[in-house]
Amino acid sequence: MNFKTDINYRKQSLIKLLNTVQNHEDEIIKALYDDFKKPAFEAVATETSYIISELKHTIKNIHKWAKPALVLPSILNFPSTDYIYKEPFGKVLIIAPWNYPYHLALCPLIAAVAAGNQVVLKPSELTPNTARIISKIISETFDKNHVACVEGGVEVSQELLSQRWDYIFFTGSVAVGKIVAQAAAKNLTPVTLELGGKSPCIVDETVNPKLVAKRIVWGKFLNAGQTCIAPDYLIVHQAIKPRLIDCLKEEIKNAFGENPEASPDFARIVNEKNWKRQISLLENENIIVGGTSNASDCYLSPTLLDEPRLNSQVMTDEIFGPILPILSYKTEEDISNIVNKYEKPLALYIFSENKAFVKTCIEKYSFGGGCINDTVSHIINRRLPFGGVGHSGIGAYHGKLSFYIFSHQKSIVKKANWLDLPVKYAPYGDKLSSMKKFLQWFS
Ligand code: NAD
């Protein structure tokens, strides 16, 4: 077994992983339901099918991505052949969150294996059923000296972070991201941090409110709002706000019926602690839709809040649940005053038919990625880098980029021996003026 240098071995490992995940797909869907009633449709659409597709794409391209990439040589090195050799970092630690517990554990793992690394994966303890299946899949597929899954809670993460790694890939909260970055700094270990934040969704007065409402309700209440790139809050032009609220109410009903608790398409909050936090966010707020809850099932209905204060808890914390605050604006300055109050978000969404307004928003605000006239969908295209900026994260991945982030790009100049130009060697004598001319020609 030499996964470091043998690309065929890596490819065979990924083919084996593909077979294993396909064989266990029903168990994964059930585990996701057992963990927080993730609807089967969402489990397939956002977790299992994503991983199958990522595996197929990686298996198809691994040889192309892994082979040394020739680059044009510098004339100053003439004669030479220059290339980039993709070296695995070595020992990689992946720490995953609970909200897409299968997708966010397996997606970086596929790339780390493809790039030739030895991997330890720590899935989230908050989704124990899914963690168990992930562990089973990994032990059935890989030799434990190649890829291992370590289940457990915060103390296990802390123990792992106290060890030395060659790369750490972390997905989770900003607060824990800082802990990971500190632990990594001790050994100058490179990191990817896929974090969260408050992702705004701006709606101007030029839109079709019915269509906008449908796209917002989909992106916000998918996974019961527990999506890192879900719209966290709306900033709506005051002229369209009443109509948009009516449409949002209508679309919530269309998606989840009169009683979302009875809908098979609406997930639950992952645990009691997080459920209590959601409920506390509603205190003293003006609830215009929803707010219905059931502690025994960690249920909170899709909830709309009207004009919370910017310094209320719901507007200072990342919501990460089915609560959508609606703020209004009159001028572009009002929007800036809200968006710039917070750290750079992971996502930003703009609904508008006004090209100039869209351009201004994209130029003015720094955010990981986003959509114009939709929510969440930018994650689907693996040709788009996925990641944050500032407090919402460091680094980006997906598709080919994932392979690259788990590889050190080693630059090699292979000098030919049939010619050895004397210019660069001492004694320099009167070579300075001819070297200057030479550099002028080629710069
Ligand atoms: P979290 O940070 O609480 O936990 C993530 C992982 O870190 C878990 O495996 C957990 O065991 C571990 N962990 C928790 N506390 C730790 C500590 N003190 N020391 C070391 N390890 C610790 O995050 P979460 O609640 O699982 O996920 C929700 C957060 O993740 C949200 O902020 C969300 O925005 C973010 N998120 C980001 C992305 C992304 O791709 N950018 C995707 C999903 C979730």
Side-chain angles (χ1 to χ4, degrees):
M1 172 185 60
N2 193 347
F3 49 83
K4 245 187 109 175
T5 52
D6 187 344
I7 318 291
N8 271 326
Y9 180 84
R10 296 183 208 165
K11 185 173 174 175
Q12 288 313 314
S13 302
L14 293 174
I15 292 171
K16 198 169 167 196
L17 180 61
L18 177 61
N19 288 331
T20 321
V21 299
Q22 283 173 325
N23 290 341
H24 290 293
E25 188 171 10
D26 289 345
E27 281 173 80
I28 298 156
I29 295 166
K30 181 175 180 310
L32 290 163
Y33 184 84
D34 291 345
D35 280 329
F36 59 112
K37 291 200 174 165
K38 191 181 281 246
F41 182 92
E42 291 182 13
V44 173
T46 64
E47 306 242 24
T48 59
S49 70
Y50 193 97
I51 290 306
I52 289 170
S53 153
E54 194 73 3
L55 268 166
K56 287 183 176 168
H57 183 66
T58 307
I59 290 163
K60 187 169 157 209
N61 290 290
I62 186 169
H63 279 286
K64 194 165 78 192
W65 296 341
K67 80 172 184 217
L70 279 177
V71 297
L72 274 179
S74 165
I75 191 73
L76 302 177
N77 284 330
F78 184 78
S80 78
T81 308
D82 298 7
Y83 60 92
I84 304 165
Y85 177 83
K86 283 62 162 271
E87 178 184 80
F89 275 106
K91 272 172 59 185
V92 168
L93 173 65
I94 297 172
I95 301 181
W98 56 264
N99 61 329
Y100 291 85
Y102 177 70
H103 170 157
L104 295 171
L106 272 276
C107 192
L109 180 128
I110 293 164
V113 168
N117 297 285
Q118 187 182 14
V119 186
V120 171
L121 168 68
K122 214 292 283 168
S124 174
E125 68 281 15
L126 302 191
T127 39
N129 295 297
T130 311
R132 214 167 301 128
I133 304 291
I134 292 173
S135 184
K136 186 166 144 185
I137 287 171
I138 286 177
S139 62
E140 278 179 25
T141 308
F142 298 100
D143 182 289
K144 65 177 182 314
N145 294 320
H146 183 193
V147 181
C149 178
V150 183
E151 288 179 74
V154 174
E155 50 323 315
V156 171
S157 279
Q158 286 166 338
E159 210 298 296
L160 289 167
L161 286 172
S162 71
Q163 297 174 26
R164 183 169 180 160
W165 300 91
D166 298 305
Y167 201 94
I168 300 176
F169 188 103
F170 172 80
T171 309
S173 61
V174 176
V176 181
K178 289 179 186 174
I179 294 171
V180 172
Q182 273 175 355
K186 283 194 193 116
N187 291 306
L188 294 179
T189 302
V191 288
T192 294
L193 301 177
E194 293 284 338
L195 310 178
K198 288 189 85 61
S199 299
C201 178
I202 302 166
V203 184
D204 84 357
E205 72 283 25
T206 63
V207 298
N208 166 355
K210 195 164 166 46
L211 182 62
V212 172
K214 194 193 275 187
R215 292 179 181 175
I216 291 175
V217 165
W218 169 71
K220 176 69 190 186
F221 299 112
L222 177 78
N223 213 32
Q226 301 163 114
T227 302
C228 55
I229 48 171
D232 188 274
Y233 60 96
L234 303 187
I235 312 176
V236 185
H237 193 279
Q238 60 177 24
I240 205 169
K241 188 182 154 200
R243 177 80 186 109
L244 183 70
I245 290 176
D246 287 344
C247 293
L248 287 167
K249 287 181 189 171
E250 194 58 34
E251 287 307 326
I252 291 171
K253 216 181 287 172
N254 288 344
F256 307 112
E258 290 289 346
N259 175 17
E261 192 170 6
S263 166
D265 300 327
F266 189 65
R268 295 300 183 259
I269 309 298
V270 72
N271 62 16
E272 196 188 344
K273 184 175 164 224
N274 287 28
W275 178 82
K276 281 188 175 155
R277 191 182 74 83
Q278 293 296 313
I279 300 300
S280 76
L281 296 180
L282 300 178
E283 269 166 36
N284 303 320
E285 298 298 348
N286 184 11
I287 298 174
I288 45 178
V289 172
T292 316
S293 61
N294 180 351
S296 69
D297 199 23
C298 292
Y299 167 74
L300 174 62
S301 62
T303 300
L304 304 182
L305 300 183
D306 194 27
E307 305 287 349
R309 285 168 301 110
L310 291 190
N311 56 2
S312 65
Q313 207 195 340
V314 79
M315 285 310 298
T316 48
D317 292 3
E318 178 185 1
I319 295 173
F320 217 59
I323 302 172
L324 184 61
I326 304 173
L327 305 166
S328 53
Y329 77 91
K330 199 165 155 191
T331 65
E332 287 186 18
E333 200 187 337
D334 296 337
I335 303 178
S336 313
N337 289 340
I338 301 170
V339 174
N340 291 335
K341 196 174 155 52
Y342 306 105
E343 296 291 346
K344 294 175 181 177
L346 183 59
L348 186 142
Y349 305 108
I350 309 151
F351 284 89
S352 174
E353 295 294 335
N354 178 342
K355 282 186 190 157
F357 176 70
V358 169
K359 186 168 179 287
T360 304
C361 290
I362 289 178
E363 285 172 357
K364 199 165 171 183
Y365 305 117
S366 181
F367 52 96
C371 307
I372 300 158
N373 296 324
D374 205 358
T375 59
V376 175
S377 328
H378 59 296
I379 196 172
I380 292 165
N381 185 351
R382 65 163 72 93
R383 286 172 287 274
L384 291 172
F386 182 79
V389 57
H391 278 221
S392 55
I394 296 175
Y397 73 132
H398 281 184
K400 181 179 171 180
L401 194 55
S402 302
F403 180 92
Y404 280 91
I405 64 158
F406 284 109
S407 311
H408 164 59
Q409 313 275 311
K410 194 187 256 177
S411 299
I412 305 289
V413 168
K414 182 174 171 239
K415 202 74 192 259
N417 294 334
W418 57 269
L419 180 69
D420 194 30
L421 293 171
V423 187
K424 69 180 179 188
Y425 299 110
Y428 303 125
D430 57 1
K431 289 192 256 181
L432 181 60
S433 63
S434 48
M435 183 191 67
K436 276 185 177 169
K437 268 189 210 140
F438 184 77
L439 290 176
Q440 247 172 7
W441 289 336
F442 292 105
S443 59

